[in-house]
Amino acid sequence: MDVRDNGGGHIHAAEFALQVLTPCRIAPEPVQFINTPLNLRICRRHQDSSGIDLGAWVPSLEQAVETGAAFSGTFSLTPEDGANAIGQQYFGPVVLITNARCYSATDIFAAGFRDHRIGPVLGTDENTGAGGANVWTHELLSDLLQGDRATPYVPLPKGAGMRVSIRRTLRSVPCPALLWRTWASSPTSCTG
């Protein structure tokens, strides 16, 4: 699979795609916010929301005041049941080809591919470009604080837009290097 220069897309689709390549159960990559008063305000405002539910992160963001933790707790964006609903559909060998122009959902797909030992990863560069970031647009951030008088998100000049890394993505497997060595000796094993 050649995903070079892929700027990303839908995170659920990327993580749902992994299951068709392996008999292993897929553990979606968890994400976390940096602890800031603004991120807490956004998450509080959208806990139990039908549009975007950020409630899972609220307790750990609130605790940061007491603990001094730099980041919130981790929670997956992709539902684990969905990431395992179809199961393996392709049974042949697969190699993933990446480069430094792989971002967002493609970066998450590549991490999951490696974490679940689906096959070798051939990187034409040393790493992908995103570094595990979940990005949001300025427009989304503005919408999330719509009506909030203290919002820092004001319209950008001349209709400009931008995207920022809002949550970092962690690996679903604690020690990918160890698993990679294990995969090399037993590529069909699903245990870590």
Side-chain angles (χ1 to χ4, degrees):
M1 299 180 70
D2 188 346
V3 297
R4 289 177 294 177
D5 299 337
N6 188 314
H10 197 277
I11 293 170
H12 290 176
E15 293 196 294
F16 282 10
L18 293 169
Q19 66 187 303
V20 303
L21 303 171
T22 179
C24 299
R25 183 157 182 83
I26 300 300
E29 307 289 325
V31 301
Q32 63 186 170
F33 285 96
I34 192 165
N35 283 325
T36 68
L38 181 58
N39 284 342
L40 175 57
R41 201 161 92 222
I42 290 170
C43 289
R44 276 184 178 152
R45 188 167 185 179
H46 294 280
Q47 55 187 343
D48 305 319
S49 176
S50 60
I52 183 170
D53 184 1
L54 303 174
W57 290 274
V58 171
S60 62
L61 287 168
E62 289 174 338
Q63 289 174 351
V65 174
E66 295 175 27
T67 65
F71 292 93
S72 71
T74 60
F75 302 94
S76 298
L77 300 176
T78 301
E80 190 168 343
D81 287 346
N84 294 285
I86 298 169
Q88 186 174 14
Q89 302 295 308
Y90 175 75
F91 298 91
V94 63
V95 172
L96 184 66
I97 305 170
T98 65
N99 68 3
R101 293 179 49 116
C102 293
Y103 293 94
S104 194
T106 306
D107 185 54
I108 291 169
F109 176 83
F113 189 95
R114 181 160 180 178
D115 288 353
H116 293 90
R117 295 173 284 158
I118 294 171
V121 178
L122 173 61
T124 61
D125 296 300
E126 289 187 23
N127 54 289
T128 59
N134 172 223
V135 297
W136 286 359
T137 63
H138 180 270
E139 181 181 11
L140 174 60
L141 289 163
S142 296
D143 289 347
L144 291 174
L145 287 178
Q146 188 174 30
D148 183 330
R149 291 181 187 207
T151 183
Y153 305 112
V154 297
L156 297 174
K158 299 183 180 183
M162 62 179 252
R163 298 181 335 157
V164 296
S165 298
I166 192 72
R167 292 182 283 201
R168 73 177 184 173
T169 305
L170 303 178
R171 303 299 289 271
S172 63
V173 179
C175 185
L178 175 62
L179 287 178
W180 187 249
R181 287 192 298 273
T182 305
W183 182 90
S185 63
S186 177
T188 58
S189 171
C190 293
T191 61

